[in-house]
Amino acid sequence: MRHLTLNRTQQKALFLFGVTLIYLLVVTYLGFLLNPIWGDEGRFWASSLTFSDSLIPTIEDLKTYNSLNTPLPFILFGWLEYLFDGGIFAGRILNLALSLGIVVIIGWPTKNRGGRAILCLIGLLLCPYFLWVSGRLYTEMIACTWVLLGVIAYIRNRHLLSSLAFVLAIASRQYMIAFPAAIATYEFLRTAQNYYQHRQIDWHRQIRWISPLIATLSILGWFTLFQGLAPADATVEKAPEVQKTLWALELSRSVNFLSFVGLYIVIPELILFLPKGPLKSIKKYWKKWLLIAFLLLLLCLIFPPQATGNGNLFKVAQLLPSYPLQFCLYYGLALLACIRFARPDLMFWFVIFHAAMMTKAIPWDRYVLPLAVVFWYLKSIFPDLMIPQVANGDETSAGQSKSNSDSH
């Protein structure tokens, strides 16, 4: 499935037909978004009602909305209730619209991307959580939208807009901090490399890491407001132990997260974009891959992946008769992720920072969704995911690489 052998008109028709069919099925399954409150929707709706009395939230509202999530999604849902009095249905409609927007951005077959965009959309839809939260009152779709807009603006050299989008993403989910933090690190290292090679600094380019750094630091505003990682009442009632103190970490959960990346990103990519010359790659990189396998095994032995958590992978693992077999499952999937993202490019840093964030989170494969959205977007515009880097003094940025990017 390296590419779709269809002309552009056929590709667009396939996109429109497929997306229409899929979303009709989703909306029908969800009772045309009128189903009773489901799962965490009840808690999220209660938090949204905190912001439904006015378009301008008070400081007290921001401190007492009783959720571990930063408040922007609840503010938006509350605004919809204030303006339209549509109940939970209005918030579900918003998420569905944002989901369709992400689908169009990633999957629309433009002249430069063609059928590759459709394959990338299929890859995204193979992550079941995308459609699962698309028509429900959950917070991921809003966070994913801001993150995707932040990455798009970054790719196009709109760094102030990118920073603003990432600030809003962090205001939607705390762990979205991984994206601007990764970009800031990536761009700072590019600057350091360029200085090492040429002994000079282009001060105009420093905005490429300063802007995402500012967005990253915006989380300190929320920590100051909350006097902790989340509102105090929610932390006491709902937070796992690892989130009740700033410095507590569960490194084993980073291994679980890498296994989620292997399952929901690496395997679909292998299926949809069969690698060229896999045997040659094995011969060329086997020593590097063996070292990665050894280091990951050492990490897993010191910090064994957790056997209990939320999500589909844990349900599958529980079908295995013993923990050693479950260990092999998590290790094997994590190894796929480590090998796939071993090259120190932007995706490498996205994965690293996400794995670090997950040491503070409940093990749940649903948290891989924003990373999957960004991965498939980048894959759709850069065929080999080779985002241009500084090399031999080359200062060409991703946003300036016209041969690889295109407009939506």
Side-chain angles (χ1 to χ4, degrees):
M1 297 182 67
R2 195 174 301 280
H3 57 83
L4 295 177
T5 55
L6 301 173
N7 62 41
R8 225 174 130 204
T9 300
Q10 292 172 325
Q11 291 166 358
K12 290 180 178 180
L14 176 62
F15 172 88
L16 293 172
F17 174 78
V19 169
T20 300
L21 178 61
I22 289 170
Y23 276 82
L24 280 176
L25 291 174
V26 169
V27 170
T28 303
Y29 175 76
L30 296 175
F32 297 95
L33 309 187
L34 295 172
N35 275 352
I37 289 176
W38 186 91
D40 287 335
E41 282 188 311
R43 294 191 297 106
F44 292 157
W45 180 239
S47 295
S48 302
L49 291 177
T50 303
F51 302 99
S52 65
D53 296 328
S54 170
L55 292 178
I56 302 177
T58 66
I59 296 297
E60 188 65 19
D61 290 338
L62 294 172
K63 289 183 176 180
T64 60
Y65 62 93
N66 201 25
S67 177
L68 295 173
N69 203 106
T70 36
L72 183 56
F74 309 128
I75 294 173
L76 295 179
F77 297 147
W79 284 354
L80 291 175
E81 179 66 7
Y82 176 81
L83 293 171
F84 304 108
D85 196 24
I88 199 170
F89 175 79
R92 289 170 171 175
I93 282 285
L94 173 62
N95 277 342
L96 189 72
L98 294 176
S99 172
L100 280 167
I102 292 173
V103 162
V104 172
I105 289 172
I106 293 176
W108 182 251
T110 62
K111 180 180 179 180
N112 291 333
R113 299 188 300 169
R116 185 177 73 253
I118 295 178
L119 291 179
C120 289
L121 176 58
I122 293 172
L124 174 61
L125 296 181
L126 287 175
C127 180
Y129 294 102
F130 183 78
L131 292 176
W132 186 74
V133 300
S134 290
R136 292 187 168 100
L137 194 89
Y138 276 66
T139 60
E140 278 86 357
M141 203 53 62
I142 292 173
C144 286
T145 299
W146 288 122
V147 160
L148 182 56
L149 292 176
V151 171
I152 292 171
Y154 161 72
I155 292 296
R156 298 181 178 181
N157 286 324
R158 303 293 188 265
H159 298 294
L160 294 179
L161 289 177
S162 176
S163 181
L164 176 60
F166 286 133
V167 167
L168 295 173
I170 292 169
S172 302
R173 292 298 298 255
Q174 288 95 323
Y175 73 96
M176 298 301 105
I177 191 178
F179 292 98
I183 293 174
T185 302
Y186 171 71
E187 288 292 348
F188 180 80
L189 291 176
R190 290 179 64 188
T191 295
Q193 178 187 0
N194 187 61
Y195 177 77
Y196 177 79
Q197 292 175 343
H198 304 287
R199 298 301 179 184
Q200 61 182 8
I201 296 177
D202 182 355
W203 293 105
H204 295 290
R205 290 184 55 83
Q206 303 316 301
I207 194 174
R208 297 185 66 85
W209 66 269
I210 292 175
S211 287
L213 177 61
I214 292 172
T216 302
L217 294 176
S218 71
I219 199 168
L220 297 179
W222 294 112
F223 290 170
T224 302
L225 177 68
F226 299 147
Q227 293 296 297
L229 301 178
D233 291 343
T235 301
V236 171
E237 295 177 14
K238 305 170 186 175
E241 288 299 320
V242 73
Q243 292 181 8
K244 292 183 177 180
T245 57
L246 182 61
W247 303 111
L249 300 174
E250 289 283 353
L251 294 179
S252 61
R253 296 178 183 182
S254 64
V255 178
N256 288 109
F257 181 77
L258 290 173
S259 69
F260 306 155
V261 174
L263 177 62
Y264 292 116
I265 295 178
V266 180
I267 290 178
E269 184 192 25
L270 287 172
I271 294 171
L272 295 168
F273 298 91
L274 297 174
K276 297 179 181 178
L279 293 179
K280 291 183 179 180
S281 296
I282 293 174
K283 290 180 181 179
K284 183 176 181 180
Y285 297 111
W286 72 271
K287 291 183 180 178
K288 177 181 178 181
W289 293 353
L290 188 62
L291 177 61
I292 292 173
F294 172 75
L295 293 176
L296 179 63
L297 180 60
L298 191 62
L299 176 65
C300 289
L301 291 175
I302 299 173
F303 303 103
Q306 294 196 6
T308 58
N310 298 327
N312 298 319
L313 183 56
F314 286 104
K315 293 177 182 178
V316 172
Q318 290 299 317
L319 298 176
L320 300 175
S322 64
Y323 178 74
L325 290 177
Q326 296 176 14
F327 178 96
C328 291
L329 174 64
Y330 293 124
Y331 172 78
L333 291 172
L335 182 59
L336 285 177
C338 290
I339 289 174
R340 171 61 182 88
F341 298 111
R343 185 177 62 211
D345 58 9
L346 184 56
M347 275 304 305
F348 167 86
W349 289 108
F350 283 152
V351 172
I352 287 293
F353 274 92
H354 266 81
M357 290 298 103
M358 291 304 105
T359 63
K360 297 288 293 181
I362 298 172
W364 197 341
D365 51 5
R366 169 178 147 201
Y367 292 148
V368 81
L369 177 58
L371 186 64
V373 169
V374 169
F375 172 81
W376 289 113
Y377 168 72
L378 293 176
K379 183 79 176 179
S380 73
I381 61 174
F382 300 109
D384 300 314
L385 214 61
M386 290 292 290
I387 302 171
Q389 303 177 58
V390 171
N392 300 321
D394 178 17
E395 290 289 325
T396 302
S397 71
Q400 295 166 327
S401 182
K402 299 299 183 183
S403 61
N404 284 339
S405 64
D406 56 84
S407 61
H408 298 296

